Amino acid sequence: AGGGSGGTGGSSGKGGGKGAATTAAVASTAPLEELMPPTAVEGREFLDTEYLVTSVVIVPKQLEEKWLGSYATIASDLVKEAPSVSCSPAVPGSTSKLYAEGETAVYAVTLLKGSQHAGAYEDGGDVFRPGQFVDFVQAYSAAAKDLGFVVRPFAYDAEAVAKSAREKEDLAQEVERLHSAITRWCKAHFAEAFVAWMHLKVIRAFVESVLRYGLPVDFVTAILVPNKNRELHLQRDLDKMFKHLKSANLGGPLDDAAGAADKKEGEKDYHPYVLQKSHATSI
């Protein structure tokens, strides 16, 4: 009996790109220092007075026009100017874009903080009911959320941003140093590791060939390197070339589509020769 054992090799490239998209779900909880560079807030005035406060709003890019056209009318029944007149706590003309990346934009908007309702005596005049503060920012945030906007308080630590930038730069240098070291190590040891790996492949092919074809040893071992995208064609040609070695208990001819469909589970990857695949990936 005679047979062939072959190894197939191939190569593949590795590439990638840095994704810049930041989803609104992540932006709604991530620290502002991670969402915006220091230049996004430099030279801008952020209010936090007795009556006014500047908040930031996370706006999906597809809703930017909607935000610009509606921010001054959100929660328009919240601020009561008169019994029959009300308006939104957002100051008209106060919104501006701070930063945009991927599918998310960050806007600033100035809001009225709230209104203090005066206290009063209950009916009878003996019990005084203290006044209450109505929080406009919280109510505005809830109304904006229903429209797809996330309103967040402005909290930006410039020192933390600078520290984070320094740490990232240090880490980048460390990564470059380690990458150079591991590259040199791999180049020095690749040949030895590859030789050992191929020895294991040959030993495995030899053992499986003996178990399949028996003694005395009468088989040939060869290494076959198919052209790109031709591995399946090579495998089919080998199946046809050595189909005379196929065991009788594995069905009819290899070209019989009906017979192939009736193969038992576990036999679908069977070949009449011993096959050891070795895929080498280029980096």
Side-chain angles (χ1 to χ4, degrees):
S5 62
T8 61
S11 63
S12 62
K14 182 175 73 174
K18 181 181 178 181
T22 303
T23 64
V26 174
S28 63
T29 57
L32 294 180
E33 293 88 349
E34 296 181 5
L35 297 179
M36 301 184 296
T39 53
V41 297
E42 288 178 355
R44 296 180 181 269
E45 183 179 10
F46 293 88
L47 301 176
D48 189 5
T49 67
E50 183 179 357
Y51 301 105
L52 297 173
V53 64
T54 299
S55 298
V56 295
V57 187
I58 310 302
V59 181
K61 277 210 169 175
Q62 66 270 24
L63 298 180
E64 281 192 85
E65 291 187 7
K66 180 179 179 181
W67 164 255
L68 294 173
S70 65
Y71 78 93
T73 60
I74 295 175
S76 58
D77 59 344
L78 192 58
V79 182
K80 304 293 184 181
E81 298 182 1
S84 60
V85 180
S86 62
C87 65
S88 170
V91 177
S94 66
T95 190
S96 61
K97 182 186 289 188
L98 299 177
Y99 187 67
E101 182 179 3
E103 299 301 319
T104 303
V106 182
Y107 280 79
V109 66
T110 301
L111 304 173
L112 290 172
K113 282 188 173 181
S115 175
Q116 182 70 41
H117 289 184
Y121 283 97
E122 299 287 355
D123 294 340
D126 295 331
V127 180
F128 180 78
R129 177 174 54 82
Q132 293 181 339
F133 179 78
V134 178
D135 189 344
F136 291 163
V137 176
Q138 184 176 0
Y140 184 90
S141 300
K145 186 177 181 180
D146 292 338
L147 298 176
F149 313 122
V150 179
V151 180
R152 299 179 52 184
F154 177 80
Y156 195 90
D157 190 344
E159 292 184 1
V161 173
K163 181 180 178 181
S164 177
R166 290 193 300 268
E167 291 177 349
K168 288 181 179 179
E169 184 177 353
D170 293 342
L171 289 174
Q173 293 177 357
E174 180 67 8
V175 168
E176 181 65 24
R177 185 186 68 81
L178 293 176
H179 182 269
S180 299
I182 194 65
T183 300
R184 291 194 301 269
W185 188 90
C186 289
K187 288 182 177 179
H189 294 83
F190 174 78
E192 182 179 353
F194 187 82
V195 169
W197 182 45
M198 293 308 298
H199 270 88
L200 291 176
K201 287 289 185 179
V202 171
I203 292 173
R204 182 172 177 181
F206 180 86
V207 172
E208 290 192 15
S209 297
V210 170
L211 292 176
R212 176 173 299 190
Y213 303 118
L215 295 173
V217 173
D218 187 15
F219 52 81
V220 175
T221 302
I223 296 178
L224 303 177
V225 182
N227 294 327
K228 186 177 181 180
N229 299 326
R230 301 293 294 178
E231 182 177 340
L232 292 179
H233 295 277
L234 173 61
Q235 197 165 300
R236 283 197 296 265
D237 290 342
L238 290 173
D239 287 344
K240 293 178 181 180
M241 183 183 300
F242 297 109
K243 64 181 181 180
H244 62 282
L245 298 175
K246 186 178 180 184
S247 301
N249 62 347
L250 289 177
L254 291 178
D255 293 334
D256 187 349
D262 293 336
K263 283 185 178 181
K264 298 178 181 178
E265 187 69 25
E267 295 176 358
K268 58 183 179 181
D269 293 330
Y270 173 84
H271 302 283
Y273 49 87
V274 175
L275 177 64
Q276 292 291 327
K277 291 186 178 181
S278 305
H279 291 92
T281 302
S282 62
I283 299 178

